[in-house]
Amino acid sequence: MEIKLNLLRLIALLLIRMPMAITLPETSCNRLKIGENWFDKKVVWAQSGRPYNLNVHKSTNSLFFSYSTPETYSDLDFQLVTINLDTGEKHTIAGIRGGCSVAIDEVNDEIYLGGTDGIYKYNMLTRLADFYKEKGKNIWSLFYKKNLFYISYPDQKLHIEIDEKFPLVEEFENIEMTHFHVTSDNYIYFANKTGLFKYNSKEMLFELINHLITVRQIVEDGDGELYVCTNVGVYILTIEGMVKILNVKNLYGLAFDRDNNLIYSDEKRIVKLLYSEKGCLSHKEW
Ligand SMILES: *[C@@H]1O[C@H](CO)[C@@H](O)[C@H](O)[C@H]1NC(C)=O
């Protein structure tokens, strides 16, 4: 008798508990996992055209990027856009032909943009892009670290701004480059069609890091951690090597917002990851 009662109570308890247990991890949910943490995916932008060169202007939490607009079947064009990540306000940046590159100097609060006809500076108040320098030059990529750097197209050579001019960076004169990055600790990384390299400036040596990946963007987060966005996923770069943190194909860009949330782009969307207490039971990647 005693046992029977206890059993009934146990079953009653189970019945009460069960629905709760079921609602905890959701089977179909819009989250993904990085390491041990789960993140909600919030779509920031969705349109046809691949978003490239994601960069956040931290003081206004504004994302800058370019997306590809297929003009004709043979020709690809680019358009620059900015979105305020707090308000969602969007602006298409007018007046830059083939606008594809972005570099932000947070210290002096300058936003540099590049296209097929030189470098521009963007004014957040007037929303205008004013011509800056390098008329007639095709600016493939821009980077700012104490100086402004750009990679020219189609020769893919690295230039540095010194005394109003943009000479080639001597160490890299004979090397093609697609991406360039100097870390907060002054390590130099670059990528080209051969692979991802680190430049050892003391010994003037090029160290190969990986030749199997196609680099899409090299970015530091708010804590100075270095990330490489590639055709096969996202890696963290340390002195010891590369660790993959997102095993995802078809990513095109990567950035971190003011609060250090990760933002990535795939073929047609820009997504921001927000930390979630909840996980998912099974998760299909993308
Ligand atoms: C890429 O850089 C490496 C290291 O400097 C160099 O050996 C290689 O020739 C470069 N590839 C191209 C296509 O320029």
Side-chain angles (χ1 to χ4, degrees):
M1 192 60 187
E2 180 93 352
I3 291 166
K4 225 181 192 174
L5 246 180
N6 272 343
L7 250 178
L8 277 175
R9 200 180 288 160
L10 191 67
I11 289 165
L13 266 176
L14 271 176
L15 280 176
I16 296 166
R17 288 261 166 91
M18 250 164 69
M20 282 172 66
I22 287 166
T23 53
L24 258 178
E26 292 163 40
T27 36
S28 69
C29 64
N30 192 32
R31 298 195 187 103
L32 68 87
K33 202 176 183 184
I34 299 179
E36 288 310 307
N37 296 321
W38 286 94
F39 296 87
D40 281 318
K41 294 195 242 172
K42 183 178 177 254
V43 175
V44 173
W45 189 82
Q47 205 173 301
S48 64
R50 293 171 179 166
Y52 288 96
N53 287 324
L54 276 52
N55 277 272
V56 175
H57 179 243
K58 299 279 163 53
S59 58
T60 60
N61 211 20
S62 300
L63 175 71
F64 286 79
F65 63 96
S66 73
Y67 69 95
S68 56
T69 57
E71 287 285 90
T72 64
Y73 284 104
S74 59
D75 209 14
L76 205 68
D77 203 3
F78 292 96
Q79 173 65 55
L80 284 158
V81 178
T82 176
I83 299 178
N84 185 304
L85 294 168
D86 296 328
T87 64
E89 189 184 324
K90 292 184 186 75
H91 292 273
T92 294
I93 298 168
I96 304 177
R97 197 151 50 86
C100 67
S101 46
V102 183
I104 298 173
D105 168 9
E106 299 280 355
V107 177
N108 301 302
D109 203 25
E110 298 283 10
I111 299 162
Y112 296 99
L113 303 172
T116 52
D117 196 12
I119 304 170
Y120 295 74
K121 273 190 190 183
Y122 188 66
N123 185 322
M124 287 297 275
L125 298 175
T126 62
R127 299 280 170 199
L128 294 175
D130 300 314
F131 180 75
Y132 180 56
K133 275 171 191 168
E134 294 299 84
K135 184 121 198 93
K137 297 280 165 58
N138 195 337
I139 312 297
W140 162 271
S141 174
L142 281 164
F143 178 77
Y144 190 89
K145 180 74 199 272
K146 292 191 190 105
N147 293 77
L148 183 63
F149 295 83
Y150 80 84
I151 298 171
S152 49
Y153 189 82
D155 61 344
Q156 302 205 292
K157 290 283 152 69
L158 184 68
H159 299 249
I160 180 170
E161 183 176 29
I162 297 170
D163 302 330
E164 313 270 305
K165 290 200 175 70
F166 282 90
L168 289 174
V169 178
E170 273 175 32
E171 290 91 329
F172 303 105
E173 242 171 15
N174 302 314
I175 297 167
E176 277 181 21
M177 210 177 264
T178 55
H179 297 83
F180 176 73
H181 188 92
V182 185
T183 68
S184 335
D185 312 328
N186 287 314
Y187 289 109
I188 299 172
Y189 290 89
F190 68 93
N192 63 24
K193 285 176 202 116
T194 315
L196 173 66
F197 297 86
K198 184 175 174 181
Y199 178 63
N200 183 328
S201 49
K202 279 196 204 93
E203 296 168 44
M204 291 177 48
L205 277 176
F206 299 104
E207 297 166 15
L208 175 70
I209 295 173
N210 193 312
H211 68 280
L212 300 170
I213 52 170
T214 302
V215 173
R216 301 257 162 86
Q217 207 165 347
I218 306 173
V219 185
E220 254 170 291
D221 75 3
D223 301 325
E225 198 103 60
L226 190 65
Y227 293 74
V228 184
C229 178
T230 77
N231 58 327
V232 291
V234 176
Y235 296 81
I236 287 189
L237 266 187
T238 62
I239 314 225
E240 287 86 44
M242 290 173 86
V243 181
K244 200 186 244 185
I245 59 152
L246 263 182
N247 190 22
V248 176
K249 292 195 175 69
N250 301 323
L251 293 190
Y252 289 90
L254 186 70
F256 293 86
D257 74 0
R258 186 183 47 206
D259 307 315
N260 216 20
N261 296 309
L262 189 151
I263 299 168
Y264 69 79
S265 63
D266 60 21
E267 264 152 310
K268 41 186 180 299
R269 299 179 309 169
I270 298 177
V271 173
K272 174 167 155 172
L273 298 184
L274 292 165
Y275 176 76
S276 164
E277 298 265 315
K278 282 192 198 165
C280 302
L281 259 188
S282 64
H283 82 112
K284 192 171 63 79
E285 275 181 300
W286 325 94

